[in-house]
Amino acid sequence: GVISTADILDRETTGSYWLTVYATDRGVVPLYSTIEVYIEIEDVNDNAPLTSEPIYYPVVMENSPKDVSVIQIQAEDPDSSSSEKLTYRITSGNPQNFFAINIKT
């Protein structure tokens, strides 16, 4: 027998399944056997990272020296395979490069 999916599987909802497969013959006295099948769902990067706040409003003093920490933004990725691979970058609003970001933290 071929086991196939009957619906879309989502790793974030259910990560694995245990199935019991039952096989029988058509003899006068039917014989049968069972086997346990463990199926693990592989994760794909199908969820966007989420920050704790949608918008941040940090404040920095005028004439602050170079390398003053302004804010630390934290994000989580619901995809289990992506959690340790988050990186950060400034994508707009910094034409004079007054701000820098650590890509890992």
Side-chain angles (χ1 to χ4, degrees):
V2 174
I3 298 174
S4 60
T5 58
D7 203 350
I8 296 173
L9 303 177
D10 185 6
R11 169 91 164 95
E12 287 74 41
T13 302
T14 305
S16 62
Y17 296 88
W18 274 103
L19 306 178
T20 303
V21 178
Y22 179 88
T24 186
D25 65 17
R26 295 186 181 151
V28 176
V29 177
L31 300 174
Y32 70 91
S33 182
T34 62
I35 187 170
E36 299 290 321
V37 178
Y38 176 76
I39 299 174
E40 187 170 340
I41 309 304
E42 290 185 358
D43 197 14
V44 295
N45 192 8
D46 60 346
N47 292 291
L50 302 171
T51 58
S52 57
E53 300 292 330
I55 299 174
Y56 292 84
Y57 297 99
V59 175
V60 63
M61 296 295 292
E62 181 180 23
N63 296 322
S64 292
K66 182 180 176 181
D67 293 330
V68 168
S69 179
V70 176
I71 189 171
Q72 183 170 357
I73 298 170
Q74 294 186 359
E76 293 183 10
D77 191 335
D79 295 307
S80 64
S81 62
S82 299
S83 294
E84 295 84 38
K85 298 178 185 175
L86 283 174
T87 59
Y88 301 86
R89 64 187 168 121
I90 298 171
T91 60
S92 66
N94 193 29
Q96 295 174 311
N97 294 319
F98 286 134
F99 298 94
I101 191 166
N102 183 305
I103 65 170
K104 297 289 184 187
T105 64

